[in-house]
Amino acid sequence: MPYDRISELPEAVRAHLPHHAQEIYLKAFNNAWEQYADPAERRGHATREETAHRVAWGAVKQTYEKGADGEWREKPVGDM
């Protein structure tokens, strides 16, 4: 189930990630949803949705990191 807009993302994503990170999540999730439609393309017994969420979190973590205070923030430019 691809997401049409940020407001449709899971509450855990909307409540904790900055807006730009939510945009990254949305785009990555939707791309992974299409890419991993075939179960043979996924690892183990993961569902299409589980796989898409893992890919989306991975995409966010390329640009953002969770601080010691639990807040997500952009990584410094040299760390990307």
Side-chain angles (χ1 to χ4, degrees):
M1 65 167 183
Y3 298 104
D4 290 325
R5 56 188 62 86
I6 287 175
S7 63
E8 296 174 352
L9 292 173
E11 175 62 24
V13 173
R14 290 182 286 118
H16 299 287
L17 294 180
H19 184 77
H20 180 245
Q22 291 177 42
E23 292 174 332
I24 292 170
Y25 192 100
L26 176 88
K27 184 174 181 176
F29 181 95
N30 289 345
N31 286 337
W33 181 263
E34 294 304 320
Q35 182 177 350
Y36 295 104
D38 180 359
E41 296 293 323
R42 299 179 221 140
R43 291 184 180 177
H45 299 288
T47 66
R48 187 177 184 186
E49 186 171 7
E50 289 169 332
T51 300
H53 282 296
R54 284 188 193 134
V55 168
W57 276 114
V60 168
K61 289 177 181 178
Q62 288 182 14
T63 306
Y64 285 82
E65 62 188 357
K66 192 174 188 179
D69 60 359
E71 296 294 319
W72 286 87
R73 59 184 57 86
E74 267 191 277
K75 290 181 179 180
V77 175
D79 291 352
M80 288 187 226

